[in-house]
Amino acid sequence: MQVSDTVEISGHLMDYGILSRILDDIREYGGDYTIDRFDVGHEAGDTSYAQITVSGEDDDALQRLLMRLQTHGTNLVHPGEAVLETVEQEGVFPDGFYSTTNLDTQVRVKGRWLTVSNPEMDCGLVVLGEGDDLSVRTIPMSDARTGMRIVCGASGIKVTPPAAKEGGDGFGFMESVVSSEKPQAVLVRGVADGMRAAKANGKKVLWVGGPGVVHTGAAPAMVALVNAGFVDVLFAGNALATHDIEASLYGTSLGVDLSQGRGVEHGHEHHIRALNTIRKEGSIAAAVESGVLTSGVMHAMVKAGKEFVLVGSVRDDGPLPDVYTDVIEGQRAMRAGLADVGYCLMVATMLHSVATGNILPATVPLVCVDINPATVTKLADRGSSQAQGIVTDVGLFLEQLALELVEDYRASRF
Amino acid sequence: MQVSDTVEISGHLMDYGILSRILDDIREYGGDYTIDRFDVGHEAGDTSYAQITVSGEDDDALQRLLMRLQTHGTNLVHPGEAVLETVEQEGVFPDGFYSTTNLDTQVRVKGRWLTVSNPEMDCGLVVLGEGDDLSVRTIPMSDARTGMRIVCGASGIKVTPPAAKEGGDGFGFMESVVSSEKPQAVLVRGVADGMRAAKANGKKVLWVGGPGVVHTGAAPAMVALVNAGFVDVLFAGNALATHDIEASLYGTSLGVDLSQGRGVEHGHEHHIRALNTIRKEGSIAAAVESGVLTSGVMHAMVKAGKEFVLVGSVRDDGPLPDVYTDVIEGQRAMRAGLADVGYCLMVATMLHSVATGNILPATVPLVCVDINPATVTKLADRGSSQAQGIVTDVGLFLEQLALELVEDYRASRF
Amino acid sequence: MQVSDTVEISGHLMDYGILSRILDDIREYGGDYTIDRFDVGHEAGDTSYAQITVSGEDDDALQRLLMRLQTHGTNLVHPGEAVLETVEQEGVFPDGFYSTTNLDTQVRVKGRWLTVSNPEMDCGLVVLGEGDDLSVRTIPMSDARTGMRIVCGASGIKVTPPAAKEGGDGFGFMESVVSSEKPQAVLVRGVADGMRAAKANGKKVLWVGGPGVVHTGAAPAMVALVNAGFVDVLFAGNALATHDIEASLYGTSLGVDLSQGRGVEHGHEHHIRALNTIRKEGSIAAAVESGVLTSGVMHAMVKAGKEFVLVGSVRDDGPLPDVYTDVIEGQRAMRAGLADVGYCLMVATMLHSVATGNILPATVPLVCVDINPATVTKLADRGSSQAQGIVTDVGLFLEQLALELVEDYRASRF
Amino acid sequence: MQVSDTVEISGHLMDYGILSRILDDIREYGGDYTIDRFDVGHEAGDTSYAQITVSGEDDDALQRLLMRLQTHGTNLVHPGEAVLETVEQEGVFPDGFYSTTNLDTQVRVKGRWLTVSNPEMDCGLVVLGEGDDLSVRTIPMSDARTGMRIVCGASGIKVTPPAAKEGGDGFGFMESVVSSEKPQAVLVRGVADGMRAAKANGKKVLWVGGPGVVHTGAAPAMVALVNAGFVDVLFAGNALATHDIEASLYGTSLGVDLSQGRGVEHGHEHHIRALNTIRKEGSIAAAVESGVLTSGVMHAMVKAGKEFVLVGSVRDDGPLPDVYTDVIEGQRAMRAGLADVGYCLMVATMLHSVATGNILPATVPLVCVDINPATVTKLADRGSSQAQGIVTDVGLFLEQLALELVEDYRASRF
């Protein structure tokens, strides 16, 4: 038996193709729709408003479709109250749990709208406390504990997409930027402005980086940016840190290579020895302290007292003692590192970029720089629709960024 | 003070550019050389022999250079005895530890040549037992335990590269195959022959796969290959298993999508629900047992009683209960899964392909199939020089492979 | 002074994001708009209708904006009469000439709507004849001759976009298919169905091919398709024909290479000798006639009496005597070859694919197969929005296509 | 009946894998060999010398093999006299013609060694004049005229590979650089040094460019380089010039786009109008003269009195009046433009890069910059082995290059 409910959405529905994505999703989920009302923005810049009655073959199908549509920013016209069910098995949500978006979210419990404190996609919503202390936060499936109250279905939930960016938006949407044919110098300036704005607002700048930062010779530029205060938090894997440390420890031979433009060959034993050396010291910070590690990106981060979260992967050698070998624990550490982040730059890593995109709220501006268009596409496919992609060379990009942002670096280069 | 030692190597030194790579490495490590003797193979097919005196600025540098050269198959003319040092700190090798290659290796301890049981690159060599029970095996750095005796320096070690392949070699070396311009149907047949040969020799076929197997619609072909006995072990991550299970559980909608050729969008909640469902069951096998999971690759693996090792990564949702969340434990499980493997096919995954390449002996034939040339290149860069790369479409490749190997599948298709 | 005019458009405006592209273009051209009316399709499958008043800073700007919007299928509500101006200089249009789309187009001249016989983008419209013999056709700039009457501005012109495809549409739009993660076997079947349908309607199948057809070992599959009647016209360059003929003439050595899966090295002299041999014969057909050329794709085309148009490029050696060395003449020959074409498959060539996309009416279904996503993207960027892209391996794709379409080939393969 | 001859080669045979390529080719051509002598360079830096007797199944096969081996720099130990045959058909060489390399070449005619004036690969050698006026030059097949004396077979020919580059060689060989993981800033400096060196030697710098130069926003950087004298000759197609002129003519709208980082959409009518405008003026220079064209790369080239050769392709609209529409005539114009060229930079174009690689002597240093690794690989595959590839972003690369080379530009940027 067909069941239905009515949703509404407002915003630049046509300009950004949002409505067409909503209708696509309804079709894909086997649902049907009637557009009850459509108030079009008549002048350029006006927002539009749509009210759509959506139907599915049963309540289960309908709820899932309604949850799906919320990823685009739709809400129920009559949201009602959230339905809560209790976790009965460790690490398992109740059937029909509400699967979150990364948008700002509010949940109506006992007649009050509660704001979800840490929006993150693909999580559940857990209701904590009682009475005046009621609160709601996202929780990953693996953190579900018996007895927790989890929101189920789409009732009682409202989401708010980020405000549309004004003309200053230098990039446009992801789908249009998976192209290397862009005026790149302009894009660099856009990122520099974004970072300055975040710092001016008292926010942190988060970097997510891969070993390409070292291999493309961009470490000096990144060190300059760390020292100038434009890298507050770094998420990376074992590889970026290891290759950075290897370049520092075996400076003579590898330094020569890097300065001559010869390739860094993988698989030789330098990185293994670098790993052993840092393991012996106990941590990267200890190696800086003891004078074993005296240069490079990780050294700069330690010296500047900045936070880094290194999460391992199955291909790691070693790893460094600072690396989380348990990926779920690593995710927790990354979540903790997101506090006060107001800008995120991802460079040269698909794995950690997607991982960060998974946990980042939609309100944080996010730029992904990679020479491989697939990395940028992948990020968008995963739902990080606020992502802005720049397909370019990481080495030259960071060089330009340091020239833009750090006067000393500029002076040292020319 | 310059110190030196003399190494020798024989084989098709010129045909495969091995000598040029040796000389490159000497330069890169800041060493010097004299070619003492060079016996060239005069007729096509003859092997050559070279004796080279290598020098470095001190013993440490020399030892490291000698170890490096062994990755190409060189050995000391007068190998002497292995030098053993004791582990003094958990998870840390003694300085100067011998960093292994993935070649067949022998170590001379107390006058006897001991064969290393499980060659693996970037490990240490631990000497176990006493007297007649002396043995040597590779050990990853993180498994080093206090008191272990570890081989240091290059003395007392001999490596043996795999015998050069005869004319049957369908692919040539990696560097020449990072190209999509190859007669692809021939390459498929080469892989089919390799698998048949491994099975005929009583060996196992190892698959390493990414979610592209599912997204390209190749799951039915892979299921046919599992059922026909051509998939003995599967290494993968959370993604392949999750998307395979998602396709099975939400067959109606996603099945339609797949059969119509529409893209599988990421980020919707189907995969989250699939994860929750299997977590509720406790394991993939339990879900098969209970009738919850009734089709797909993972279902076929369980039904056929085949082994799979799923190792997680930082971008995982869930994950499935079968997934190792600790990557070091995951590596151990993968090592255990290598027993009796005689052929390895990697499809559509960079992360797990590199991870497997890291632990696979050089004697196991290895084919890497990916539409992204970078994946294939990366594997070669990491030292898996026996790797043969095929840049092609994974979906059509597996379709063709199943048509070649499985008569039933052929019958079902046309 | 702002001037304005009113356009209308109907169709699946929101589903396919057409309206958002229209509004983007207005902004990009520095214009402004008011949406006067917007009748939304209420049920799934209903079409929408929009009426938009567009303004520009002067008539020139407005006319250019109106012409631009017609590429999306908009028309003036009050189209009026076409304005004609006379060509005063060979090969130069009058200022303000109407720049065509590839949509079905009608022009109102002397009170009558005339249908443009050969829609092609980026051309002008020339009015021929008088009285009852009035007609309008597209004309490329270089064919403009003094005295010709050319349509200027957007008045008096109506375009009709192709009818939206029904559920049978296997691919969706270009932007969604620049991905290799698609169920490829399904896509092959879609192309096979498209070719069968074109043949059943008495239409021709046009192929546009690059040398990758030969290098990927797909020539036998393509020969089978030629012989089975699925290749009516072939557009290509010197390279496809030369490498095909080279493989045929130097069969022993290169045949061995291809059958063993070794790469075809460029730059050796085989292709130069092949060119010289055919030049000596006078033409490809003459070489077939004289028994010099006895196999391959070009041989099959000649034997089957099918048409091919080879247009050269600046990188050509030789070229073959059949090759147009003047690209403008080559374009004319290609235009002539489009008669009765009802389906177009582009494989492994960016240059000739874009060239064909430039001259093909929007009504002809067009599929572009390439392992390089950039080729597919480029085609869409150039305005061939009806294009459907398949990012896959050309060798395996054609192999599968021949297995689908040609029973004999299937029998020969297994 | 097997016939044989003996060749010799000296140089860094092992370091650069040259010998292994020679042996590969012998096998590929179905020949056989005996290495008669091999004098290895004992110390690092010494050259080696090899003498190899090569055999083929008949004289024809042997001659072709010998010609093939010359592409690597081998010569006959007893070269003898060149064999000359007469052209009997316009545009067709005699069978068995010597197919040239791009190496420095000498031909022995009537007892004297004559130096080939313009080495170019895949051509024939024509002997001109008599007695003291005897000379030899390369000639493309299409320029063969009846009665010309053409060198046939490998007798009487000596080639000299370029001297091995010393330590200053910043890039290494092509195969090692099809990677984006390089210290990019170092590579930029290498190109800047190469250009300065060429200018210091009184040589010209040749640029080969695609429209990506404009689309990536690099036109201002290139203009600065033109004005500073680092662009002496430009080879390009219709697209670079058209998009550059379009950006100049429609500065307001497109200028805004470029400065805001929005994509340049293809297929709109701006470029068509730009073409019509320049066609009306008669030429690019005329448009500069008349004040119609006032900025951009082409304007700068005209103002600086520098040469450009634009050769069309089948996908061109228009084209511009300066464009060669006949590709064979275009090749001739490019050949004429090579005089005194001492350095060649290729940016963002596969078609014209390969075309230039085809006609460039091996002695001219050549750097190919493209974000697409395939372009760089293709160039190497075609035989331009002196090519050095840089896989990077064209926009940022040219920006950095202008910052390195042009003080004024540096001042204007920061």
Side-chain angles (χ1 to χ4, degrees), chain B residues 96-394:
Chain B
F97 68 96
Y98 178 84
S99 174
T100 56
T101 71
N102 59 2
L103 305 176
D104 280 343
T105 304
Q106 288 182 295
V107 183
R108 190 174 173 90
V109 186
K110 306 209 170 155
R112 287 164 48 207
W113 284 105
L114 305 171
T115 298
V116 173
S117 48
N118 50 343
E120 176 183 336
M121 71 171 80
D122 292 334
C123 286
L125 291 172
V126 59
V127 177
L128 302 168
E130 292 295 340
D132 283 359
D133 284 341
L134 266 181
S135 70
V136 188
R137 63 177 183 80
T138 54
I139 184 173
M141 189 180 289
S142 51
D143 286 356
R145 294 292 163 262
T146 313
M148 278 183 172
R149 288 166 298 167
I150 301 290
V151 178
C152 288
S155 291
I157 297 177
K158 269 197 312 199
V159 298
T160 313
K165 287 156 202 148
E166 295 307 310
D169 164 31
F171 305 99
F173 273 64
M174 184 66 84
E175 60 259 54
S176 70
V177 295
V178 183
S179 160
S180 58
E181 294 196 344
K182 292 278 159 179
Q184 303 292 357
V186 177
L187 298 180
V188 174
R189 247 166 281 151
V191 172
D193 290 344
M195 288 190 172
R196 281 196 202 98
K199 300 302 293 183
N201 291 332
K203 293 290 189 179
K204 289 181 175 176
V205 175
L206 167 65
W207 287 53
V208 185
V213 170
V214 178
H215 298 328
T216 58
M222 185 162 171
V223 166
L225 288 159
V226 171
N227 292 338
F230 289 102
V231 185
D232 294 298
V233 188
L234 172 64
F235 292 172
N238 190 52
L240 181 145
T242 301
H243 288 293
D244 173 63
I245 290 169
E246 174 190 357
S248 175
L249 295 186
Y250 297 92
T252 319
S253 63
L254 268 178
V256 168
D257 277 6
L258 281 173
S259 71
Q260 287 193 348
R262 303 254 318 267
V264 181
E265 255 189 60
H266 302 270
H268 58 49
E269 36 72 87
H270 279 139
H271 77 283
I272 289 289
R273 290 187 198 287
L275 286 164
N276 203 54
T277 300
I278 303 298
R279 287 173 73 96
K280 199 170 168 185
E281 297 296 319
S283 73
I284 297 171
V288 170
E289 181 90 0
S290 70
V292 163
L293 183 64
T294 59
S295 65
V297 172
M298 298 313 297
H299 173 265
M301 291 295 288
V302 169
K303 279 293 188 187
K306 299 299 187 180
E307 185 186 356
F308 51 87
V309 180
L310 307 179
V311 186
S313 80
V314 65
R315 85 183 147 211
D316 289 348
D317 291 307
L320 289 168
D322 306 71
V323 165
Y324 288 89
T325 61
D326 187 285
V327 294
I328 300 299
E329 283 174 28
Q331 287 176 354
R332 283 190 199 110
M334 288 167 67
R335 279 187 190 98
L338 289 185
D340 291 324
V341 163
Y343 196 87
C344 177
L345 178 69
M346 299 170 166
V347 270
T349 166
M350 187 184 287
L351 181 60
H352 289 83
S353 292
V354 171
T356 306
N358 284 349
I359 62 172
L360 205 65
T363 46
V364 177
L366 183 167
V367 171
C368 177
V369 180
D370 207 295
I371 204 164
N372 183 358
T375 301
V376 171
T377 310
K378 198 91 170 186
L379 202 64
D381 277 359
R382 297 276 306 180
S384 301
S385 62
Q386 88 272 32
Q388 299 170 330
I390 303 180
V391 177
T392 192
D393 183 278
V394 166

Side-chain angles (χ1 to χ4, degrees), chain C residues 46-364:
Chain C
D46 287 1
T47 56
S48 303
Y49 171 88
Q51 208 174 82
I52 306 171
T53 295
V54 179
S55 59
E57 60 179 16
D58 56 28
D59 190 60
D60 199 48
L62 178 63
Q63 292 302 315
R64 282 176 42 215
L65 175 48
L66 293 173
M67 287 188 252
R68 172 62 182 161
L69 297 186
Q70 277 202 326
T71 65
H72 303 299
T74 70
N75 287 305
L76 285 169
V77 171
H78 304 291
E81 277 275 322
V83 176
L84 305 188
E85 307 236 9
T86 305
V87 172
E88 301 192 341
Q89 195 179 342
E90 295 288 297
V92 179
F93 286 140
D95 290 342
F97 68 98
Y98 177 83
S99 175
T100 55
T101 71
N102 59 2
L103 306 176
D104 279 344
T105 304
Q106 289 181 293
V107 183
R108 190 174 173 90
V109 185
K110 306 207 170 159
R112 286 164 49 207
W113 284 105
L114 306 171
T115 298
V116 173
S117 48
N118 49 343
E120 176 182 336
M121 71 172 78
D122 292 334
C123 284
L125 292 172
V126 60
V127 176
L128 303 169
E130 293 294 340
D132 284 358
D133 284 342
L134 266 181
S135 69
V136 188
R137 63 176 183 81
T138 56
I139 184 173
M141 188 180 291
S142 51
D143 286 357
R145 295 290 163 264
T146 312
M148 279 181 171
R149 288 166 298 165
I150 301 291
V151 178
C152 288
S155 292
I157 297 177
K158 270 197 311 199
V159 297
T160 313
K165 288 157 201 147
E166 293 308 309
D169 165 28
F171 305 99
F173 272 65
M174 184 65 86
E175 60 260 54
S176 72
V177 295
V178 183
S179 160
S180 57
E181 295 196 343
K182 292 277 159 179
Q184 303 292 356
V186 177
L187 298 180
V188 174
R189 246 165 284 152
V191 172
D193 290 345
M195 289 189 171
R196 282 195 202 98
K199 300 300 293 184
N201 292 332
K203 293 290 188 177
K204 289 183 175 176
V205 176
L206 166 65
W207 287 53
V208 186
V213 170
V214 177
H215 299 328
T216 58
M222 185 162 172
V223 167
L225 288 159
V226 171
N227 292 337
F230 290 102
V231 185
D232 293 298
V233 188
L234 171 65
F235 291 172
N238 190 52
L240 181 146
T242 302
H243 287 294
D244 172 63
I245 289 169
E246 174 191 356
S248 174
L249 295 186
Y250 297 93
T252 319
S253 63
L254 268 179
V256 169
D257 278 4
L258 280 173
S259 70
Q260 287 193 348
R262 304 251 321 266
V264 181
E265 256 188 60
H266 303 269
H268 59 49
E269 37 70 87
H270 279 140
H271 78 284
I272 288 290
R273 289 188 199 288
L275 286 164
N276 202 55
T277 300
I278 303 299
R279 287 173 74 97
K280 199 170 168 185
E281 297 296 318
S283 73
I284 298 172
V288 170
E289 180 92 0
S290 70
V292 163
L293 182 64
T294 60
S295 64
V297 171
M298 298 313 297
H299 172 264
M301 291 294 289
V302 169
K303 279 293 188 187
K306 300 299 186 179
E307 184 186 357
F308 51 87
V309 180
L310 307 179
V311 186
S313 80
V314 65
R315 84 182 148 212
D316 288 348
D317 291 308
L320 289 168
D322 306 71
V323 165
Y324 288 89
T325 61
D326 187 287
V327 294
I328 300 299
E329 283 174 28
Q331 289 176 353
R332 283 189 199 113
M334 287 167 66
R335 279 187 190 99
L338 289 185
D340 292 324
V341 163
Y343 195 87
C344 177
L345 178 69
M346 299 170 166
V347 271
T349 167
M350 186 183 289
L351 182 59
H352 290 81
S353 292
V354 172
T356 306
N358 284 349
I359 62 171
L360 206 63
T363 46
V364 177

Side-chain angles (χ1 to χ4, degrees), chain B residues 14-15 17 19-20 23 27 32-35 38 40-45 181 378, chain D residues 14-15 17 19-20 23 27 32-35 38 40-45 181 378:
Chain B
M14 291 173 311
D15 309 40
L19 207 49
S20 77
L23 303 185
R27 266 190 298 270
D32 215 335
Y33 67 87
T34 313
I35 299 182
F38 191 82
V40 78
H42 288 275
E43 313 295 322
E181 294 196 344
K378 198 91 170 186
Chain D
M14 292 172 311
D15 311 40
L19 206 50
S20 76
L23 304 185
R27 265 190 299 272
D32 215 336
Y33 67 88
T34 311
I35 299 182
F38 191 82
V40 77
H42 288 274
E43 312 296 322
E181 295 196 343
K378 199 92 170 186

